[in-house]
Amino acid sequence: MAAAEAPVTPERRKQVLRVLFISLLLDLISFTFILPLFPKLLEFYRNLETQSSDNTVLSQILYGLNAYKNSFSKPINDRYDIVLLGGALGSLFSLCQAVASPVIGTLSDRYGRRTALMWSMMGNIASVALWCAATDFRTFLASRVVGGLSEGNVQLALAIATDISSDQDRGKTMAMVGACFSIAFTFGPAMGAALAQVTSVAANPFATAAGVSLLLIVTETIYLYFALPETHLVDKTSANGDVKHSKGPAAPTHERTNSHTLLNMTHFCFILFFSGMEFSLPFMTYDLFSYGSAQSGRMLGYIGLVASLLQGGVTRKMQPLKVVQLGTLSAAVAFLLLAKVETERGLYAAATLLAVTSSTVVTGLNSLSSFEASRSERGEKLGNHRSFGQAGRALGPLIFCSLYWWAGRDAAYMTGGAGMLAVCALVFGGLKAPRGLETKSAKEVQENGSAKKIK
């Protein structure tokens, strides 16, 4: 029989959460360095390889994108060629993550979270090192593929956070992970843009930003190696075949309320529509308000700042299902508003709603998914959940932008709004609050009421 499992002490939980927070910030800031550099970076490779008569990988990709672009009845300005190329690379990265996430999660169940995370970090280091050495597009493309296949930090952080959290603490812990995203996306792109102004290697003008990104990843890896304990101690088999059960944090005992299939499909459908809208925003703001990169960056910074404040003060205090309901409803209203917006005030009203969505839905869905996974399968289930989201992120920009250019802004965003209302129907009609959490919350309310009567 298995030995009794030891509960996680408050001190240990606080220690692990601190390590997760610091490491995720380092990881996500490093990850966001490249986001504002994509236009100039891809222009650099395009200009470099158009001087060559060889049939390069980049020339073949650009040929395919131009064929795609020329299939629309509405002409697409050539200024969007680089944006489309960036979108294609983003879809490739997400597709690689969709393939790798379940594998990484399963390995973390079998060999431990810390072990899987350290191997993931080795892949991240290799990816950024390739970027540092990318004097041609082929090497840069390889760095994106390696990064997509090895990036397991976020899902493993979620699994670790779940390992050390009680049912009642789950929402707060997931909100902390979401806050890391918001902080990183608020400051990381600006830091990357500033570093891109410093040229240290003529053959790769972006080597300085890549080098600092590599330094952050290496620092994170060393920090994790020394500071992160194992939170999922796996069973070990002795030489005579007997199973020795290791002590680990207790798995929450509660009845399952939502199927993983429903949660995964909700995640996929939400990200499908939301990522398509995200990718189309620069096209829309340019067409309506002639926004350049500075104005677009300011708007994205506003969304990130509002999302950070909401995650720190609102999301962490709400039950996961309420969080998802609020976020999907805000997204549906934002879509319908973007279909008709004509002023910058209206645009920022929609951006505020999108900040609400950014701070809630994925955090809440991750939390709900974690409730439905037992300790022995947590990595696998959270990996599958992330895989469905990344599949939606790979397809969303392609589908939504095709609709944007074929049928126009109004039709694209009204269709997206209708799709998000369908997601709302799934969330409000299909998902339920975790039964164990619901029972404990009711008990707390009753106890608080009794305490007030005594006073």
Side-chain angles (χ1 to χ4, degrees):
M1 294 180 63
E5 293 178 328
V8 178
T9 63
E11 293 76 15
R12 180 179 173 85
R13 180 174 182 273
K14 185 176 180 181
Q15 173 207 356
V16 175
L17 286 179
R18 181 173 61 249
V19 174
L20 284 183
F21 186 81
I22 293 172
S23 64
L24 268 180
L25 268 185
L26 290 172
D27 186 79
L28 292 171
I29 288 175
S30 171
F31 174 79
T32 57
F33 271 9
I34 199 172
L35 298 182
L37 310 185
F38 263 120
K40 293 294 183 183
L41 187 149
L42 295 176
E43 281 181 5
F44 166 75
Y45 289 122
R46 183 184 64 179
N47 295 337
L48 179 68
E49 299 197 12
T50 50
Q51 300 173 6
S52 171
S53 59
D54 297 334
N55 189 21
T56 63
V57 173
L58 180 56
S59 66
Q60 294 176 21
I61 293 174
L62 288 173
Y63 177 82
L65 288 176
N66 275 308
Y68 164 73
K69 186 181 74 169
N70 293 333
S71 67
F72 299 111
S73 55
K74 180 182 177 181
I76 302 176
N77 195 302
D78 288 343
R79 75 182 296 275
Y80 291 132
D81 287 357
I82 294 299
V83 179
L84 288 172
L85 179 57
L89 288 179
S91 292
L92 175 64
F93 187 86
S94 296
L95 185 61
C96 289
Q97 286 199 302
V99 172
S101 291
V103 177
I104 293 172
T106 301
L107 290 176
S108 79
D109 287 335
R110 184 173 301 175
Y111 301 107
R113 315 280 186 235
R114 184 179 181 277
T115 300
L117 183 55
M118 295 311 300
W119 280 109
S120 176
M121 293 305 303
M122 293 299 102
N124 291 341
I125 290 174
S127 170
V128 184
L130 282 170
W131 181 26
C132 291
T135 56
D136 57 24
F137 180 77
R138 184 171 56 182
T139 306
F140 177 73
L141 182 63
S143 78
R144 302 305 293 168
V145 172
V146 171
L149 292 174
S150 60
E151 176 59 57
N153 305 54
V154 174
Q155 72 180 75
L156 292 175
L158 292 173
I160 292 169
T162 304
D163 288 339
I164 63 170
S165 299
S166 66
D167 288 352
Q168 297 291 23
D169 292 330
R170 194 74 52 83
K172 296 178 184 179
T173 305
M174 294 298 178
M176 181 214 72
V177 175
C180 290
F181 269 91
S182 298
I183 294 170
F185 276 80
T186 300
F187 299 105
M191 294 170 64
L195 289 168
Q197 304 303 314
V198 181
T199 302
S200 55
V201 180
N204 182 2
F206 306 95
T208 302
V212 175
S213 178
L214 181 61
L215 176 63
L216 291 178
I217 291 294
V218 171
T219 302
E220 178 194 0
T221 303
I222 296 172
Y223 177 62
L224 286 170
Y225 182 81
F226 288 104
L228 181 68
E230 180 57 71
T231 61
H232 177 68
L233 302 179
V234 297
D235 295 332
K236 296 180 180 180
T237 304
S238 63
N240 61 7
D242 295 330
V243 177
K244 298 179 179 179
H245 296 278
S246 301
K247 292 185 178 181
T253 57
H254 58 267
E255 184 180 345
R256 296 188 181 186
T257 50
N258 298 300
S259 74
H260 284 289
T261 300
L262 180 59
L263 286 167
N264 291 342
M265 287 308 301
T266 302
H267 195 200
F268 171 81
C269 293
F270 168 75
I271 295 293
L272 181 76
F273 291 109
F274 191 75
S275 65
M277 176 277 303
E278 280 184 313
F279 188 70
S280 72
L281 267 182
F283 302 103
M284 190 199 76
T285 55
Y286 176 77
D287 289 338
L288 288 180
F289 309 114
S290 300
Y291 269 18
S293 57
Q295 293 93 331
S296 295
R298 191 178 304 121
M299 183 181 68
L300 294 175
Y302 169 77
I303 292 174
L305 178 61
V306 174
S308 298
L309 295 174
L310 288 172
Q311 281 169 327
V314 178
T315 304
R316 63 189 298 271
K317 299 177 182 178
M318 297 175 64
Q319 286 194 12
L321 181 59
K322 298 294 183 185
V323 165
V324 178
Q325 290 172 338
L326 172 64
T328 52
L329 196 58
S330 296
V333 176
F335 265 95
L336 300 176
L337 185 58
L338 287 170
K340 301 298 181 183
V341 68
E342 298 293 343
T343 65
E344 288 189 89
R345 180 175 296 181
L347 176 65
Y348 270 83
T352 303
L353 291 170
L354 295 177
V356 174
T357 301
S358 298
S359 67
T360 52
V361 179
V362 174
T363 295
L365 285 174
N366 284 330
S367 185
L368 289 174
S369 182
S370 71
F371 273 103
E372 310 306 330
S374 65
R375 177 173 171 264
S376 62
E377 62 179 6
R378 193 168 287 151
E380 176 194 353
K381 296 302 183 185
L382 287 173
N384 288 338
H385 186 71
R386 181 169 175 79
S387 177
F388 273 82
Q390 291 302 314
R393 193 173 295 281
L395 295 174
L398 175 64
I399 295 172
F400 196 88
C401 288
S402 297
L403 183 60
Y404 184 95
W405 280 306
W406 271 329
R409 171 175 67 113
D410 291 4
Y413 283 99
M414 290 299 289
T415 301
M420 198 58 72
L421 286 173
V423 176
C424 285
L426 276 176
V427 170
F428 282 89
L431 297 181
K432 300 175 184 177
R435 202 178 302 275
L437 181 60
E438 197 175 46
T439 303
K440 290 181 181 180
S441 297
K443 184 178 179 181
E444 284 183 354
V445 170
Q446 185 178 6
E447 289 175 350
N448 289 338
S450 300
K452 288 180 180 178
K453 287 181 181 178
I454 294 172
K455 291 180 180 178

